[in-house]
């Protein structure tokens, strides 16, 4: 059956809202007038001599009485145009608009305009079909095949309009290819929103509230027009349908843009480039999408980038992320994700930010499994190396580095900051705890600085913790210490020929703890095995467990002292007793990563309860709750740091001698960090193979600079100097 309907010529600019959805006493333009926000006397009808001049210029109109203009009006700026329905045009001066050195005169030429409001001094040229849009001031529309809005437009939001069947609602199936974690995309959605919605699926009341809150965000009435904000530019593009475009947005050479909200503003303009096809999505402020990218059912956070043919499907991509040349399918990705290679895939995963996928990495690919409904969950700082293949379902602690390899079985890596290697020749999995701290402090320390420096957001709606050592990772390290003690205790019994069948975890930890806290020689001959880290019969062998254990303790001490110094700096008159009173009596509770913002688990539970009970009535209330949690975060983190330090010192209270000793150790660690950052960087310059491509040392220095001149090395040196001064002022006086 043909889908083409034959209508009367009057219908071209006529009825927009079906009669059954039009309120009594209202016409097609009642919502349009609300959107335009201008009084009726902003426009006037044409004068007879103006009509005559327009006709002479090749302008036609279904009804001249339905063509309105503003003063001043310059008729010769309209040429070879067709107008249908109610069209209202803002002031037209004889001026030229310039954008990126492209100059085009204001006016309308060689275009068909159907029922649109056009702002002051807009330039619309060679637009074959422009229907039901409100165009802002100083907008450039140039060489566009089709640009129109339907009466049921949703602009990428997962809502239904009056009379729509539920089946047309757009769901975004994150984290799982088989579904079951669907969320509704909406303008203003944060990574924290998507996480709460997708993760807590067992909370049926919460799920229902999220649906209600999203529907309540938007007007279900039919008849809203598309919008192009002031000073936006759309040129050399083919199809734009049901697209809301923010001020200052720049769109050039797009193939198809359908059912979208593209957020943009003057100080954070978004850009859509050549060959791009985006359908059913939300684009955040300051985003860039270039060169053949595809997006279907997606949300892009602020200042996210898609480049060079990247595909983003059924996925949320967090703020400040950059994705090039690859495929991201069914994912929830927190802020600060990097993926730059054509042969990398990220499928059915929750990646919790500050992550980087190397070339050839197929993370979440199900082609090495019988099942299609598995998931990958990776903490902050996840970095799978070249040509890494994983099997569903797998989970990784924060800042895990995967060496190149085809990992044959599911993984559950519970040790943070670890290096994981598939040692296939020896039929074992090798895990090096605290690898980053012991072997590449430059990269670890630079991580927080790098992501903070790349944060270009003017308005930070999603709060983000960038520091690698924070309450979430500190909690993982504490758990890792216990695991290392238990596993070392088992290894000790095994070395003595004793079985561990009758030993409980506490007893085993009691055996392993003194070995790990003693000299390294005490564990040098032990084969310490990790447990439940790989779903296979082969061994998981821990490499350098003694070094990892001591590194973990250093990391915790450093985390604790740094945050306690933040408290002292904010309260310069505080004594050690004051610190005990203010920060004591707190427990080392679990923390939740809400889209990059760290929240105590108890507060996250209370937040969900407030949403379910209606205390938080709408998404705006939820976002304001995030803000309040962020305001409370520094003190909550300091309380956690205080409890962590007491646990390390095996103390119930911080005495002045303990505090001074803790400061001395913290300063030693800071100076160690400074030295290792420099040494790690210096290795790159001393590598004789790297030197081999240069004629001499002078050429190498001209190209690469020097380790002493490295901006981050200098910054850490300055931070160490400041740390030393703060420690001196914070010491308890005898």
């Amino acid at each position: 059956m043909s889908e083409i309907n034959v209508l009367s010529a009057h219908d071209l600019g006529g009825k927009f809202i079906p009669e059954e959805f039009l309120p009594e006493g209202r016409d097609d333009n009642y919502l349009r007038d609300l959107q335009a926000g201008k009084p009726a006397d902003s426009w006037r009808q044409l004068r007879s001599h103006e009509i005559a001049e327009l006709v002479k210029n090749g302008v036609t109109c279904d009804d001249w009485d339905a063509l309105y203009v503003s003063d001043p009006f310059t008729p010769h700026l309209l040429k070879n145009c067709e107008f249908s329905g109610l069209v209202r045009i803002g002031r037209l001066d004889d001026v030229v608009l310039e954008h990126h050195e492209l100059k085009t005169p204001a006016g309308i030429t060689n275009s068909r305009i159907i029922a649109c409001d056009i702002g002051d001094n807009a330039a619309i040229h060679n637009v074959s079909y422009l229907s039901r849009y409100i165009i802002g001031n100083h907008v450039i529309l140039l060489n566009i095949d089709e640009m129109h809005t339907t009466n049921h437009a949703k602009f990428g939001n997962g809502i239904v309009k009056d009379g729509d069947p539920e089946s047309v609602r757009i769901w975004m199936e994150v984290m799982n290819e088989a579904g079951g974690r669907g969320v509704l995309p909406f303008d203003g959605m944060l990574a924290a929103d998507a996480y709460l919605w997708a993760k807590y699926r067992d909370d049926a009341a919460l799920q229902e509230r999220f649906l209600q809150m999203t529907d309540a965000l938007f007007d279900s009435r039919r008849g809203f027009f598309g919008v192009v904000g002031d000073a936006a530019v759309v040129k050399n593009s083919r199809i734009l349908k049901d697209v809301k475009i923010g001020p200052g947005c720049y769109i050039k050479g797009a193939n198809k843009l359908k059912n979208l909200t593209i957020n943009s503003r003057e100080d954070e303009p978004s850009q859509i480039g050549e060959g791009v096809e985006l359908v059913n999505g939300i684009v955040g402020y300051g985003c860039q999408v270039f060169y053949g990218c595809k997006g279907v059912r997606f949300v892009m956070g602020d200042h996210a980038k898609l480049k060079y043919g990247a595909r983003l499907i059924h996925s949320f991509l967090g703020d400040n992320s950059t994705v090039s040349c690859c495929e991201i399918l069914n994912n929830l990705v927190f802020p600060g994700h990097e993926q730059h290679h054509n042969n990398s895939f990220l499928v059915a995963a929750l990646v919790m930010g500050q992550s980087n996928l190397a070339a050839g990495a197929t993370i979440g690919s199900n082609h090495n499994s019988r099942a299609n409904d598995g998931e990958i969950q990776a903490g902050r700082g996840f970095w799978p190396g070249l040509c890494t293949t994983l099997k569903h379902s797998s989970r990784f602690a924060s800042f895990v580095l995967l060496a190149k390899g085809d990992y044959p079985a599911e993984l559950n890596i519970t040790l943070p900051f670890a290096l994981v290697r598939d040692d296939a020749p020896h039929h074992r999995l090798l895990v090096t705890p605290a690898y980053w701290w012991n072997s590449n402090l430059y990269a670890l320390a630079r991580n927080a600085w790098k992501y903070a420096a790349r944060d270009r957001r003017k308005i930070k709606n999603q709060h983000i913790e960038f520091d690698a050592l924070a309450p979430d990772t500190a909690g993982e390290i504490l758990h890792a210490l216990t695991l290392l003690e238990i596993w070392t205790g088992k290894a000790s019994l095994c070395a003595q020929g004793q079985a561990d069948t009758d030993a409980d975890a506490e007893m085993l930890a009691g055996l392993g703890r003194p070995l790990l806290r003693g000299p390294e020689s005490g564990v040098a001959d032990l084969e310490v095995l990790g447990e439940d880290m790989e779903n296979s019969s082969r061994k998981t062998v821990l490499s350098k467990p003694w070094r990892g254990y001591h590194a973990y303790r250093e990391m915790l001490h450093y985390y604790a002292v740094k945050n306690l110094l933040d408290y002292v700096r904010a309260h310069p008159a505080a004594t050690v007793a004051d610190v005990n009173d203010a920060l004591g009596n707190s427990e080392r509770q679990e923390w939740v990563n809400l889209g990059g913002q760290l929240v105590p688990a108890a507060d996250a539970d209370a937040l969900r309860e407030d949403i379910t009970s209606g205390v938080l009535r709408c998404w705006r209330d939820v976002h304001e709750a995030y803000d309040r949690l962020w305001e409370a975060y520094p003190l909550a983190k300091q309380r956690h740091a205080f409890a962590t330090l007491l646990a390390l010192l095996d103390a119930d209270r911080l005495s002045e001698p303990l505090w001074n000793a803790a400061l001395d150790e913290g300063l030693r660690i800071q100076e160690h960090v400074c030295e290792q950052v420099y040494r790690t960087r210096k290795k790159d310059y001393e590598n004789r193979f790297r030197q081999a491509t240069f004629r001499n040392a002078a050429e190498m220095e001209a190209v690469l600079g020097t380790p002493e001149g490295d901006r981050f090395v200098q910054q850490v040196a300055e931070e160490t100097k400041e740390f030393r001064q703060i420690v001196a002022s914070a010491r308890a006086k005898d």
Side-chain angles (χ1 to χ4, degrees):
M1 180 178 177
S2 174
E3 295 185 2
I4 295 177
N5 298 319
V6 180
L7 310 173
S8 69
H10 172 74
D11 287 329
L12 183 60
K15 184 58 64 178
F16 181 53
I17 305 174
E19 288 287 348
E20 62 268 29
F21 303 114
L22 195 61
E24 186 175 354
R26 301 287 193 174
D27 62 18
D28 263 352
N29 300 304
Y30 84 104
L31 294 176
R32 167 190 185 175
D33 291 338
L34 288 175
Q35 289 180 271
K38 292 184 177 181
D41 60 4
S42 299
W43 303 278
R44 63 168 176 83
Q45 290 186 309
L46 291 167
R47 301 181 179 104
S48 58
H49 72 90
E50 292 171 333
I51 295 175
E53 185 172 352
L54 291 174
V55 171
K56 184 178 179 180
N57 291 342
V59 176
T60 64
C61 185
D62 291 350
D63 182 357
W64 290 106
D65 289 338
L67 180 58
Y68 287 75
V69 297
S70 302
D71 288 318
F73 175 63
T74 310
H76 77 263
L77 297 179
L78 274 65
K79 297 178 181 178
N80 302 321
C81 298
E82 301 177 20
F83 294 101
S84 299
L86 175 64
V87 176
R88 301 183 292 208
I89 303 172
R91 65 178 294 162
L92 270 179
D93 297 298
D94 204 350
V95 297
V96 171
L97 305 182
E98 181 179 10
H99 180 263
H100 292 184
E101 300 184 81
L102 172 69
K103 299 177 182 179
T104 185
I108 307 173
T109 64
N110 304 311
S111 301
R112 175 180 283 114
I113 312 296
I114 302 168
C116 291
D117 287 350
I118 299 170
D120 296 342
N121 291 319
I124 301 176
H125 305 295
N126 302 320
V127 179
S128 299
Y129 189 90
L130 176 62
S131 175
R132 314 289 179 177
Y133 263 90
I134 297 174
I135 309 297
N137 301 324
H138 306 118
V139 166
I140 296 175
L141 303 180
L142 181 65
N143 302 329
I144 301 170
D145 290 346
E146 174 188 332
M147 184 171 175
H148 73 107
T149 306
T150 63
N151 70 75
H152 50 83
K154 303 162 188 71
F155 305 111
N157 298 295
I159 59 173
V160 292
K161 289 290 188 175
D162 294 344
D164 279 344
E166 184 64 28
S167 60
V168 305
R169 191 189 291 272
I170 298 297
W171 289 89
M172 190 167 62
E173 298 291 351
V174 298
M175 294 172 56
N176 197 307
E177 285 182 283
R181 294 192 185 272
V183 302
L184 296 178
F186 62 86
D187 186 15
M189 188 179 215
L190 305 179
D193 305 333
Y195 177 79
L196 286 171
W197 199 333
K199 188 65 175 176
Y200 295 95
R201 303 305 288 194
D202 53 322
D203 191 336
L206 181 71
Q207 298 297 313
E208 181 62 27
R209 284 285 294 129
F210 284 149
L211 177 60
Q212 294 169 357
M213 289 161 51
T214 304
D215 279 340
L217 265 182
F218 305 97
D219 199 318
S220 66
R221 292 177 292 180
R222 292 177 178 238
F224 285 95
F225 278 29
V227 175
V228 180
D230 293 346
V233 176
V234 183
K235 68 178 187 179
N236 305 321
S237 297
R238 296 188 58 202
I239 300 171
L240 291 88
K241 181 178 179 181
D242 294 346
V243 180
K244 180 181 177 182
I245 302 170
C249 184
Y250 182 28
I251 300 173
K252 57 176 180 177
N255 280 346
K256 183 176 183 179
L257 305 177
K258 179 181 177 183
N259 192 29
L260 303 172
T261 291
I262 304 174
N263 287 296
S264 180
R265 51 182 164 240
E266 183 178 353
D267 58 345
E268 292 181 288
S270 290
Q271 299 183 39
I272 310 294
E274 294 83 353
V276 169
E277 297 174 0
L278 302 176
V279 179
N280 301 333
I282 308 294
V283 178
Y285 291 98
C287 287
Q288 296 179 353
V289 186
F290 291 146
Y291 310 128
C293 293
K294 317 294 181 187
V296 181
R297 301 198 183 209
F298 66 93
V299 173
M300 293 179 65
D302 295 343
H303 289 270
K305 298 178 183 178
L306 289 181
K307 301 187 294 183
Y308 310 122
R311 285 89 70 202
L312 180 68
I313 304 167
H314 277 285
S315 294
F316 185 107
L317 182 63
D319 297 349
N320 303 321
S321 296
T322 300
V323 172
S324 302
C325 318
C326 61
E327 183 172 345
I328 292 185
L329 175 67
N330 297 104
N331 300 294
L332 173 52
V333 181
F334 288 1
H337 177 74
E338 302 285 327
Q339 189 172 346
H340 300 281
H341 306 282
N342 191 44
N343 53 348
S344 63
F345 296 85
L346 182 64
V347 183
L350 167 64
V351 182
M352 301 181 115
Q354 296 170 258
S355 39
N356 198 316
L357 262 67
T362 56
I363 306 307
S365 171
N366 60 21
H367 298 295
N368 59 356
S369 169
R370 294 186 302 274
N372 68 342
D373 56 353
E375 299 174 356
I376 301 291
Q377 180 174 319
R380 291 195 293 139
F382 182 54
W383 194 329
L386 295 169
C387 301
T388 300
T389 300
L390 296 177
K391 184 177 180 181
H392 286 126
S393 290
S394 293
R395 186 172 68 92
F396 302 92
S398 299
F399 292 91
V400 167
L401 172 63
L402 293 173
K404 176 181 179 180
D406 294 324
Y407 293 87
E410 299 93 329
L411 298 174
N412 182 23
I413 306 301
T414 49
L415 303 179
F417 302 96
L419 170 65
V420 180
R421 288 169 286 173
D422 176 28
D423 187 7
H426 298 95
H427 192 59
R428 62 181 183 173
L429 185 72
L430 278 176
V431 179
T432 306
Y435 165 82
W436 286 107
W437 186 266
N438 284 324
S439 300
N440 197 347
L441 253 178
Y442 177 89
L444 181 61
R446 184 174 174 270
N447 185 278
W449 171 81
K450 173 179 69 175
Y451 285 108
R454 292 175 182 176
D455 189 356
R456 299 286 190 265
R457 299 172 301 160
K458 303 295 182 183
I459 300 175
K460 294 175 172 54
N461 293 313
Q462 175 68 76
H463 307 293
I464 306 171
E465 171 62 86
F466 293 113
D467 201 324
L469 293 177
D472 61 334
T473 52
E476 291 179 321
I477 292 172
L478 285 163
H479 179 58
L481 287 174
T482 300
L483 291 177
L484 289 177
E485 291 169 355
I486 292 171
W487 294 339
T488 302
K490 285 191 174 185
S492 175
L493 289 178
C494 183
Q496 299 171 36
Q498 300 179 38
D500 58 25
T501 53
D502 296 329
D504 60 16
E506 186 175 347
M507 175 185 172
L508 291 169
L511 289 173
R513 190 177 303 117
L515 290 172
L516 288 168
R517 294 188 184 183
E520 186 174 7
S521 58
V523 296
D525 296 329
L526 296 181
E527 183 182 49
V528 181
L529 303 179
E531 295 180 352
D532 298 322
M533 301 181 79
E534 184 180 54
N535 187 20
S536 74
S537 59
R538 67 179 183 170
K539 294 179 180 178
T540 296
V541 178
L542 299 188
S543 173
K544 304 175 183 177
W546 186 91
R547 289 191 63 197
Y549 185 84
H550 284 262
Y552 279 149
R553 289 183 60 86
E554 280 190 340
M555 295 165 81
L556 286 176
H557 194 102
Y558 187 52
Y559 156 74
V561 169
K562 280 186 66 177
N563 282 284
L564 293 179
L565 286 176
D566 286 343
Y567 179 85
V568 171
R569 186 161 25 190
H571 304 83
T575 64
V576 174
D578 294 332
V579 173
N580 278 285
D581 293 341
L583 304 181
N585 300 318
S586 55
E587 298 180 355
R588 299 191 318 273
Q589 58 182 311
E590 292 185 13
W591 288 66
V592 175
N593 185 344
L594 289 185
Q597 176 178 351
L598 304 183
V599 175
D603 288 344
D605 291 340
L607 174 71
R608 293 192 291 119
E609 177 59 32
D610 286 345
I611 295 170
T612 302
S613 66
V615 171
L616 302 176
R617 297 168 299 173
C618 60
W619 281 115
R620 180 177 179 180
D621 289 348
V622 175
H623 293 174
E624 289 175 353
Y626 297 158
D627 293 338
R628 290 191 295 272
L629 288 169
W630 185 252
E631 290 170 2
Y633 177 58
L635 183 57
K637 180 164 57 169
Q638 289 155 11
R639 289 182 183 277
H640 183 269
F642 185 80
T644 300
L645 183 60
L646 291 182
L648 279 175
L649 300 176
D650 294 321
D652 296 324
R653 189 172 175 84
L654 201 59
S655 65
E656 290 185 359
L658 276 178
W659 172 239
N660 288 338
L663 289 176
D664 291 341
E665 176 65 3
L667 178 57
R668 182 197 68 78
I669 296 171
Q670 176 64 50
E671 291 176 338
H672 170 73
V673 169
C674 183
E675 179 184 7
Q676 290 304 310
V677 164
Y678 172 72
R679 286 188 175 183
T680 304
R681 190 67 178 134
K682 191 178 180 182
K683 287 179 183 178
D684 293 333
Y685 294 84
E686 295 175 340
N687 184 327
R688 58 192 177 89
F689 287 92
R690 176 168 288 197
Q691 296 170 355
T693 64
F694 299 98
R695 294 170 19 257
N696 50 45
E699 181 192 359
M700 182 175 179
E701 182 174 335
V703 175
L704 301 180
T706 65
E708 294 79 9
D710 183 277
R711 189 155 57 106
F712 182 66
V713 169
Q714 293 174 346
Q715 178 178 315
V716 174
E718 187 62 33
E719 288 174 353
T720 302
K721 179 180 178 182
E722 183 182 358
F723 195 98
R724 193 177 298 115
Q725 294 170 347
I726 296 170
V727 166
S729 64
R731 288 181 61 86
K733 304 301 186 290
D734 297 330

